[in-house]
Amino acid sequence: MQILLALLCISVAAAPMCMSVPTKGASVRNTMHSITSIAQTTLVHIKKLRTELPVSPQMEVNTPSIEGLTSISHDLGLLDNELQNPFTELLSQIQADVSSLKGRVISLAKTIHCPPMGPTVAARPIGESSDNLFPDSYATQTLTKVQNYLEKFLLNKDKLKVC
């Protein structure tokens, strides 16, 4: 009985020493892992959403190059704005994912002391849309843009280490 009591006292006394604040390196790794997980989850959401939209012809969209955290946050800001179309309520989950992803990228950039990102992308005024007449086509094109960008991003996730 005394041995169990002694072990309990030692484990209670040693517990605070075993728990420590994560190092900056561990925090950066955790954030990078979180970013890639959100990107992968968003791709799953896009694939699920595509089953709910009418089938459309294959679209060709240009995907910007991924150079580092600054370009990634800028590109995610542009995609976030495109997803805020009032005629495409189906895209609300994807928009939330992209917005969250953008926030994590900006947070990572601050953590690793990247220079200021410059002005953020201005939000689209409410009611303004680039394609009011064909909301399904607009939704499909926007989903294709986001999907292509995130697939390219995941292939270049090492750019998360570059400002």
Side-chain angles (χ1 to χ4, degrees), residues 9-87:
C9 288
I10 292 171
S11 64
V12 168
M17 290 181 242
C18 295
M19 296 179 198
S20 64
V21 177
T23 63
K24 181 180 173 184
S27 177
V28 168
R29 278 191 303 279
N30 289 341
T31 303
M32 289 171 65
H33 178 72
S34 173
I35 290 169
T36 55
S37 292
I38 293 170
Q40 291 167 337
T41 301
T42 305
L43 287 172
V44 170
H45 290 158
I46 290 170
K47 288 174 182 158
K48 181 180 178 202
L49 187 58
R50 283 194 182 280
T51 64
E52 299 172 21
L53 290 171
V55 177
S56 64
Q58 195 69 16
M59 292 184 198
E60 196 66 36
V61 294
N62 291 330
T63 306
S65 64
I66 296 174
E67 298 168 11
L69 292 171
T70 302
S71 71
I72 294 168
S73 66
H74 176 66
D75 296 337
L76 290 173
L78 294 173
L79 292 171
D80 188 20
N81 279 349
E82 284 193 49
L83 289 163
Q84 293 179 24
N85 186 321
F87 301 101

Side-chain angles (χ1 to χ4, degrees), residues 141-158:
Q141 181 181 16
T142 303
L143 281 178
T144 301
K145 283 182 182 180
V146 175
Q147 182 176 2
N148 288 352
Y149 185 81
L150 293 179
E151 287 171 347
K152 185 174 181 179
F153 165 76
L154 288 172
L155 292 173
N156 294 285
K157 62 186 174 187
D158 59 311

